Every structure is written in C-alpha cells, then in structure tokens.
Amino acid sequence: MAMAKATVVGAYSLVGAVSRRVARYLHASDYCAIRAIGTARVRCVSRCALWCQVKTQSCKNLCSHHLSHSSVEMGSVDAAKKAAAVKAVDEYVKNNFVLGIGSGSTIVYAVERLAERVKLENLSIVCVPTSFQARQLIIQHNLILSDLERNPKLDCAIDGADEVDAKLTLIKGGGGCLTQEKIVASCAKQLIIVCDFMKDSKALGEKYKKGVPIEVIPMAFVPVQRKIEEDLGGKAELRMAKQKAGPVVTDNGNFILDWIFPEKSYDWESTNTKIKMIPGVVETGLFVNMTHKVFYGMADGSVKEKSV
Ligand SMILES: O=C[C@H](O)[C@H](O)[C@H](O)COP(=O)(O)O
C-alpha cells in the first residue's frame, strides 16, 4: 500500500517535472495512471492509439484518446493535423478506392475520418498499410485490410511527412516507416500528404532538424555511415531506441541512419540517387517528385493546399 502510494506520488512529481513534450511519449498506461490520480490533463496523442489497443480495458476506458474529442483540449498542432487529414479524406477518397494508408500521428486522424465516411456513406474502400502501425489502425477501425500482392495498383495513398519543401519534396521516416511508405506511394496514382503548418518549409532542413532518415541493412550500417559522411558530408547517426537498449529496428528488421546534412542547396533527386547507390542502403526518406498534393493544417484552423 505504502509502495503504491509512493508510486502514485512519484508519478505525480514526474508529470510535474517533465515538459509537455516529454509527456507526449509516455505510454497510454502512463496517461491513464496520471488521469486516474486526477492530475494533469495530458492528451493521449495519436501515436499512442496503438498502445491503447494493447493495454488493459481499464486503460482503454480511462485514456483520453478513447473519450470524445470534444472533451479533450486539442493543442493547435493536433487540431491542425486533424483539419488537414479530414479535408484530404473528404476531397480525395471515393467509393471503390484502393487506398494506401500512411504512418505517423497525422494519419490517425485520416483513418478516423475514413472510418466515419465508410460507415456513413456505406463506402467500399480497400486499405493497403505502409507499416505495422497503419495495419493496426486499419484493423482497429474495421476497415478492409489488403496488401500489394492482392492490390498492387492503388488509386491514392494518404500519408504524413516530417517536412515539405517548396517543390513538395518530402522528408519522411521520422517514425521509421519510410521504406514501405515509399513502396506504397510508388504504386499509387496520387500521393496526398497531410501535415501541420510546422512542416511547411522553403528548403529541407529549415524546419526538420533531425536529418534524412535512411534505412540500412544492419551489418552495413558502419560502411554506409562512413560513405555518406565522406561523400556527402554531415553526420549519419544511428537512430537509437528510446525504450529498448540498442538501435531502432524498423518493420523490415533494419536500422535507420539519420543523415544531418550540411547546409547548402541540394538537388534532392541526384542526392537521393547517390545515397541509394551505396550498398547496404535499403531506402531513403527523401520523396522526390512523388507528391501530388499537400494539405497543411494551419494554426488558425484553416487548411492550406499546395500542389505541383
Ligand atoms: O516514419 C514515419 C512517417 O514517415 C510519418 O508519415 C512522418 O514521420 C510524419 O509523421 P507525423 O504525422 O507524426 O508528423
């Protein structure tokens, strides 16, 4: 009993001490513990949807993600993500579509809206996931799950992005899902990007400071790291896991190098090709000439659209 009390008090001081940003990465069970003891109103951010699903029923009941959104104070960035996602799904998804489902936090709002429309309008939509997370979202929302073996041609893919430049070149893979995302996008007639205003840049690197994610075969990460640094400059850092000792392992069993590139102007198409030619590189998070349209949710609740 004394120990339980100590844990609760510990959790309380932890919440007080950590910034909102750090708190975003706590698991849903932690949010629930926090809510249960009546302390901070900490949102369950969308990436946590997965955790909510696998945690206990009491967690499900308590976690604010499962409460109606009206009862949850949405930060302006989350509201912007949602606005962009809803608009994209409303404008681009049509009955009988085969749809690529991207990964990340913004796509959660797109899938929620998709599920609403499927139900309300009795749509028939086949969904192809770009990650484990996307697959879980599709299943969780009772949508039709498919794959590229059964549906190698997609009408549209909707996905998020870490940064979008003036030519709609993207950095993707902040959540480690770049390879399947690029494959699915390459099979779609249109790639529609949904993101918030913070991703809108003139040049890549202006807003997103974590570099270009590069998926590599594990045994090759050191040679790839060295070749990138020698040939292109900058630093290629092995992405380390947060709640596991060692590196992040992707859905494909590979590692991720984050290439912090030197500040200069780039021809991203040739840079992407150079990186891809290094033996051991599986894929890069540079999406060049792939985007059809971007929906940016703005801080004032509006949605800005850009297409090439
Ligand atoms: O690996 C992750 C994906 O590329 C995401 O689409 C990207 O990181 C954007 O995610 P979010 O919508 O959470 O900003």
Side-chain angles (χ1 to χ4, degrees):
M1 186 66 185
M3 218 166 105
K5 202 169 171 192
T7 314
V8 168
V9 172
Y12 183 90
S13 7
L14 173 73
V15 176
V18 293
S19 67
R20 240 168 176 260
R21 192 170 167 74
V22 172
R24 284 168 68 91
Y25 294 98
L26 293 173
H27 291 170
S29 55
D30 299 315
Y31 284 98
C32 295
I34 291 158
R35 290 181 63 83
I37 58 173
T39 60
R41 276 174 62 84
V42 183
R43 261 191 329 274
C44 173
V45 289
S46 33
R47 268 195 215 280
C48 287
L50 190 61
W51 287 102
C52 301
Q53 200 199 6
V54 296
K55 298 284 173 182
T56 63
Q57 187 59 39
S58 62
C59 170
K60 264 191 180 179
N61 294 340
L62 283 164
C63 181
S64 60
H65 184 82
H66 292 276
L67 299 176
S68 78
H69 278 288
S70 57
S71 69
V72 178
E73 232 179 76
M74 277 188 121
S76 68
V77 175
D78 283 327
K81 289 178 183 193
K82 185 173 180 177
V86 167
K87 191 139 201 247
V89 169
D90 286 357
E91 281 188 21
Y92 274 86
V93 177
K94 308 255 181 312
N95 195 19
N96 297 320
F97 258 28
V98 178
L99 188 66
I101 302 293
S103 313
S105 55
T106 318
I107 207 67
V108 176
Y109 295 116
V111 175
E112 278 174 9
R113 179 60 186 158
L114 177 66
E116 259 172 32
R117 283 198 57 202
V118 164
K119 213 169 164 188
L120 285 170
E121 300 169 42
N122 200 20
L123 300 178
S124 169
I125 306 291
V126 170
C127 298
V128 177
T130 57
S131 62
F132 178 83
Q133 181 219 8
R135 187 175 180 278
Q136 290 285 298
L137 281 170
I138 295 165
I139 294 171
Q140 211 177 309
H141 286 84
N142 293 317
L143 294 163
I144 301 168
L145 176 69
S146 187
D147 50 49
L148 294 176
E149 282 167 66
R150 284 172 287 186
N151 294 95
K153 278 187 176 175
L154 284 75
D155 295 291
C156 181
I158 301 186
D159 207 338
D162 298 299
E163 192 170 24
V164 184
D165 77 3
K167 292 182 181 162
L168 307 193
T169 305
L170 315 174
I171 292 183
K172 288 183 53 55
C177 305
L178 56 138
T179 301
Q180 292 187 34
E181 287 179 340
K182 205 184 264 189
I183 296 169
V184 170
S186 76
C187 298
K189 284 187 199 144
Q190 297 180 317
L191 171 62
I192 306 301
I193 297 297
V194 288
C195 61
D196 60 76
F197 53 94
M198 293 171 69
K199 316 285 180 65
D200 187 7
S201 275
K202 282 201 187 70
L204 296 183
E206 187 185 289
K207 299 270 173 68
Y208 187 69
K209 303 291 182 194
K210 295 181 184 166
V212 175
I214 300 165
E215 183 159 349
V216 295
I217 300 287
M219 57 81 83
F221 90 89
V222 171
V224 173
Q225 217 169 17
R226 292 185 52 171
K227 285 195 179 91
I228 290 174
E229 291 174 3
E230 278 166 20
D231 298 351
L232 299 165
K235 285 288 293 164
E237 290 165 0
L238 181 64
R239 192 183 295 181
M240 302 306 285
K242 291 267 160 25
Q243 296 192 352
K244 161 197 169 276
V248 165
V249 177
T250 68
D251 289 350
N252 316 305
N254 297 316
F255 292 170
I256 303 260
L257 294 175
D258 287 300
W259 175 46
I260 316 285
F261 47 90
E263 248 179 71
K264 61 174 189 130
S265 78
Y266 284 88
D267 170 350
W268 288 116
E269 191 164 9
S270 64
T271 307
N272 181 51
T273 308
K274 265 185 207 154
I275 302 172
K276 282 203 70 167
M277 291 309 289
I278 302 173
V281 169
V282 175
E283 193 47 89
T284 84
L286 286 166
F287 284 48
V288 190
N289 298 329
M290 294 185 83
T291 312
H292 180 82
K293 187 157 189 176
V294 183
F295 288 84
Y296 304 89
M298 306 306 286
D300 64 3
S302 65
V303 177
K304 185 169 100 182
E305 297 173 30
K306 266 197 215 167
S307 41
V308 274

